[in-house]
Amino acid sequence: MTTPRTTPPPQSVVSHCATRGLAVVSDGSDFHREGGTGVLSGLLSTAALVREHSGTGATAMLITADNVAELTAELRRAAPGFSAVYLMHTNPVRGRAAQSALANTVAVITDRQTTAVALIAALLSTLDRAGTAPAAARVVIAGAQHNPLVAALAVATGIGEIDSWNLGDAHNFPLRAFARRGAVVIDLLGSAALSSQDAALDPPIPRITLDDPRAPLVALPGLLAAAHAWGPPDVATCLACARALAEPTPAGQPLPGLPQAGRSEPTHPGQTRADAAFPYPHLVR
């Protein structure tokens, strides 16, 4: 039997990152251009958001690497200057290999992990507000192949029924069919992709979306704390982080919201001043 994990408090991570900073890194091996943006501009934007909301140092780094060995070597060279690495737009096989190889050197968190944890936390919050137990819930993951960890976490959460849906399924299995069954959609495709299909339904399907580029950052503090405590996050660790993120949700909000950097007052009961150094922008709309 696996013992449920409780995420360690992120206070130590706050001071650690404040001293040495966070590296926001990519090798571009899993980058999909959207809206004319480039991989470096995305890294710079994310680093700026981390600095804005946490007050800790964050540096964007675009690495040239043709394989896992080169990526790991570059990260190992950079590691002494940073407390942790946030790996974005990088092939998931490379990302997992880098996490494992650097486990005793520096904490490495990937954007697929932060995305999955934030989405599952928002799902738990959505179900709780609706008074629906996970075992009684129906969840559709649109674009599940883009991040298999989302489905793995949904299974670990105990969701009663999980379906995978892609744009190619729209003709034979439109989303309205799931709507009639009271499903919640976890959207890994983005509203632009779904809007031409069945996104505009009456009544609309509850949809947990990735449209806000800040959304994955809500999970970064807990994952960093867990990585420093236990090493590279596995499914159990990610689930513990998602549950911890969903628990202190204020009424009417999908996830807790934290103030800008420099404001240290807690925003909900049980939140510490150190916790208030991290960003929790809203995810579900």
Side-chain angles (χ1 to χ4, degrees):
M1 177 180 295
T2 301
T3 303
R5 287 181 171 176
T6 302
T7 52
Q11 288 90 328
S12 62
V13 180
V14 175
S15 58
H16 194 43
C17 284
T19 302
R20 299 174 59 203
L22 177 73
V24 182
V25 182
S26 178
D27 66 359
S29 57
D30 192 42
F31 177 70
H32 305 285
R33 184 178 297 275
E34 296 179 0
T37 61
V39 61
L40 182 57
S41 64
L43 297 178
L44 291 168
S45 176
T46 298
L49 284 169
V50 171
R51 291 192 299 269
E52 175 188 351
H53 288 277
S54 71
T56 64
T59 302
M61 298 176 59
L62 181 57
I63 288 176
T64 299
D66 293 328
N67 51 54
V68 171
E70 291 182 7
L71 173 63
T72 301
E74 290 295 328
L75 291 176
R76 198 182 300 278
R77 264 192 289 272
F82 299 96
S83 64
V85 172
Y86 184 39
L87 195 58
M88 302 179 64
H89 307 306
T90 298
N91 178 280
V93 174
R94 292 189 183 190
R96 288 191 296 270
Q99 282 184 310
S100 178
L102 298 172
N104 296 320
T105 304
V106 66
V108 178
I109 301 299
T110 72
D111 54 358
R112 288 174 183 262
Q113 290 172 323
T114 57
T115 295
V117 168
L119 286 170
I120 295 300
L123 172 65
L124 292 173
S125 176
T126 299
L127 294 177
D128 183 66
R129 290 199 311 275
T132 303
R138 295 185 175 95
V139 173
V140 179
I141 304 176
Q145 76 277 11
H146 294 296
N147 192 342
L149 181 58
V150 175
L153 289 176
V155 170
T157 301
I159 299 300
E161 182 179 326
I162 302 170
D163 293 292
S164 175
W165 186 90
N166 293 288
L167 291 176
D169 301 324
H171 179 71
N172 294 320
F173 301 100
L175 281 181
R176 65 176 64 91
F178 293 108
R180 288 195 293 267
R181 298 161 60 192
V184 176
V185 173
I186 296 180
D187 177 13
L188 294 175
L189 298 174
S191 62
L194 291 187
S195 62
S196 62
Q197 300 294 326
D198 294 305
L201 297 175
D202 187 18
I205 303 177
R207 185 168 65 90
I208 300 172
T209 180
L210 293 176
D211 290 346
D212 186 344
R214 302 170 301 169
L217 291 179
V218 301
L220 188 54
L223 284 167
L224 281 173
H228 281 287
W230 302 319
D234 55 13
V235 170
T237 299
C238 289
L239 180 57
C241 290
R243 285 175 169 160
L245 185 59
E247 285 175 1
T249 304
Q253 297 182 14
L255 291 173
L258 295 188
Q260 298 284 23
R263 179 179 171 185
S264 60
E265 292 303 318
T267 58
H268 58 78
Q271 182 188 35
T272 69
R273 291 176 182 267
D275 293 332
F278 285 115
Y280 286 83
H282 302 327
L283 182 61
V284 179
R285 53 177 204 177

